Amino acid sequence: PERSVALPYRASRWHPLTPEQKLHNRDISSIRVVVENTIAALKHFKCLTDVFRHRIDRYDNVFLAIVGIVNRRIDVRLARLSAT
């Protein structure tokens, strides 16, 4: 209930986007690309994309381990970017 969805503005042939709408779309896409890249990084791990064939009580631990690996990779990447 407290969440909202931000949708980008769409241009049409007769109604081009204003500079404010373009800025709004750029802000949305900069947030969305981080989310999409994180989901893609999680999908590199086969146990999250295929059928989980282990005991169900292990799933949380496996997921948390993979999220820890992905978060570490993101932190290292961000540290390299800020160092340059």
Side-chain angles (χ1 to χ4, degrees):
E2 298 139 11
R3 309 279 182 206
S4 64
V5 177
L7 297 175
Y9 291 102
R10 295 188 58 147
S12 67
R13 175 188 264 180
W14 310 113
H15 300 286
L17 293 177
T18 65
E20 293 84 17
Q21 290 172 330
K22 288 181 182 181
L23 183 63
H24 175 76
N25 286 353
R26 186 174 297 126
D27 290 341
I28 291 174
S29 68
S30 65
I31 295 169
R32 189 177 65 215
V33 72
V34 173
V35 173
E36 289 177 357
N37 287 341
T38 304
I39 291 171
L42 290 172
K43 287 184 176 182
H44 280 115
F45 293 89
K46 199 169 180 115
C47 62
L48 294 183
T49 57
D50 289 347
V51 175
F52 192 71
R53 299 189 183 274
H54 300 284
R55 291 192 331 239
I56 195 69
D57 61 339
R58 291 186 180 180
Y59 185 78
D60 288 341
N61 291 334
V62 170
F63 186 79
L64 290 174
I66 292 172
V67 168
I69 293 169
V70 170
N71 282 341
R72 172 86 170 122
R73 288 181 182 174
I74 292 171
D75 289 343
V76 168
R77 188 180 322 138
L78 291 175
R80 270 192 246 142
L81 287 174
S82 66
T84 58

